[in-house]
Amino acid sequence: MTINTVDQAPRDMRYFPEADDIASAMAPADLETINEIFHTPLTGSYNWDYFSADGRIRKLYELGKQLNWNVEMDLDWSQTISKSEYCTDQDFNLFKGYEPYEALSESRKIEFDWHYLASNTSQFLHGEQGALLVASQLVSCAPSYDAKLYAASQAFDEARHVEVFNKFIQTQLGMMYPVNTKLKSLLDKILSDERWDLKFIGMQIILEGLALAAFKGARATTRIPVFAELLRLVIRDEARHVTFGVNYLEEFCKTLSEKEKEERAIFALEACVVMRDRLISEEVFIAFGWDPADARGRVLESTVLSEFRNLLFSRIMPNLKRIGLLTDTVRPQFEALGLLSYEDFVHDGEIDWDKLSRPLFDSNVA
Ligand SMILES: [Fe+2]
Ligand SMILES: [Fe+2]
């Protein structure tokens, strides 16, 4: 093993030879660990009361243990489709009618579809790695016994999510896009801030709220059976994580001063602004030789996408309201972004135990 420490995340695409598993895709001579260092002024704590104060958090932890699944055993990796077919439902194709897209041959359009999926899925993977790192920090930082145990179980869930998206990318898509710079800057901010609750807000409310909506969108439009199934399993875990975040933060935010609350509200707003911008895969446009600004404009004009883009926030807004961070200072700015209308949507503060407890392989689970 050689360790190569880089100053910033690599910007190049990675391609993988066709193989059934990741181990055989990489020859030993290719193994190189690529690291980028971040520093964090982490203030950790022991917990000495070992007291389960919140039955809801404890129950979510128990569910996490019960609903474990195995990337290798519980997914049928043969349930895939040929690269000569479209991988997404073409009714949702945002590029129909766009000249540079229409100029592509049929086979290049299919290739574009696979690239677009690879780009989105790569961001899922990079985001999951961020979630893994944050969850591991929360084990140290979270003050209560319940929260430490829960964060540890979440860290294991996130490890599986990294594993499953990585396996799907390397063995089924064969290409990985670099991390989107906007997503990376938000991950940097969350990982290197010293306030544990801000990490918590950034991860459990903003990134996981967005991820849940994005995973559901991907699941509804994919034509690849194993991808739909792995998303179903990941969505179940993420729903539990968001529920934990809202329930824990609701209590915690009540302990903050008005000034502290305002700082958190502004952070949440800024995170939403950054993430709203990242939801367009400009990297694919560049890979296909298009003018990224022009293609971006085209996508932004699309009603389907602008509706979908806002819908991605429909889980975040009611949750921010529930934990008390939709303050008078930030409301007008959320209004200007067109997101305030979601504030009264269903939040994750009330726990639907029946839904969260369903067996993993109940075919009726949505
Ligand atoms: Fe995750
Ligand atoms: Fe998560």
Side-chain angles (χ1 to χ4, degrees), residues 128 131 154 158 161 208 237-238 241:
E128 293 291 358
Q154 181 173 335
E158 306 302 4
H161 300 173
E208 301 211 305
D237 292 341
E238 298 299 359
H241 301 168

